[in-house]
Amino acid sequence: MTRVRVVADRRRCAGSGQCALRLPAVFDQRDTDGRVALVEEYPDEALLPALRQAADRCPSRAIKIVTA
């Protein structure tokens, strides 16, 4: 079993919202500044391909996926 953790760097986030559009169960945007907010820091490993895609498509590279 793979443990998956999502790390989001709010300082780096550009607020494009692409992550929240793709995976609303994991990502959201803060009301105050539109930057990334995590809904689920440790999502199910079944979401790993979609998480990697969200990280790859983040224009500011603010999302990291850590597996153990």
Side-chain angles (χ1 to χ4, degrees):
M1 181 174 192
T2 301
R3 183 170 170 120
V4 178
R5 180 176 179 224
V6 178
V7 179
D9 185 344
R10 287 189 188 101
R11 290 174 291 151
R12 202 167 187 185
C13 178
S16 72
Q18 294 302 306
C19 57
L21 289 172
R22 292 184 190 287
L23 283 172
V26 178
F27 302 103
D28 198 357
Q29 288 181 276
R30 297 189 311 185
D31 290 335
T32 55
D33 59 10
R35 292 179 189 235
V36 66
L38 289 178
V39 175
E40 183 61 57
E41 183 179 357
Y42 296 95
D44 188 281
E45 70 178 296
L47 293 175
L48 189 55
L51 290 165
R52 286 187 173 142
Q53 187 177 55
D56 288 344
R57 292 188 177 173
C58 177
S60 59
R61 300 287 182 229
I63 299 169
K64 303 283 186 252
I65 308 304
V66 180
T67 58

